[in-house]
């Protein structure tokens, strides 16, 4: 008996600005992100950056490495 198993594939849904393309890992759905983009769909800034999709280093004047991803503080 020959059996076939269907393994569901995660939808890519890669962010058009944050991801390099709309291709992703067939199992996890992880997209290939541009530098400083983050997340499965590349729709966030890396920790320590803010202002997606124009990710910029946090404005904490050396007081902290992380900041609010919306305000930069």
């Amino acid at each position: 008996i020959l059996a076939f198993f269907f393994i569901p594939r995660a939808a890519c849904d890669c962010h058009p600005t944050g991801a390099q393309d709309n291709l992703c890992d067939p199992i996890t759905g992880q997209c290939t992100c541009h530098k400083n983009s983050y997340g499965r769909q590349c729709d966030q800034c890396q920790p320590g950056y803010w202002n997606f999709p124009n990710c910029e280093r946090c404005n904490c004047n050396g007081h902290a490495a992380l900041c609010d991803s919306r305000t930069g503080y």
Side-chain angles (χ1 to χ4, degrees):
I1 296 176
L2 185 60
F4 290 94
F5 295 95
F6 175 72
I7 299 173
R9 217 184 130 134
C12 287
D13 297 326
C14 301
H15 191 278
T17 304
Q20 293 183 12
D21 49 41
N22 199 38
L23 303 176
C24 63
D25 182 279
I27 304 299
T28 66
Q30 176 65 52
C31 301
T32 303
C33 301
H34 286 294
K35 182 180 178 181
N36 299 332
S37 293
Y38 180 73
R40 190 185 70 74
Q41 297 172 309
C42 305
D43 58 353
Q44 306 167 50
C45 290
Q46 287 277 356
Y49 290 80
W50 72 288
N51 195 31
F52 184 84
N54 302 309
C55 299
E56 303 171 46
R57 199 172 274 292
C58 291
N59 297 324
C60 300
N61 298 320
H63 297 287
L66 301 177
C67 62
D68 184 280
S69 63
R70 292 178 310 277
T71 65
Y73 296 102

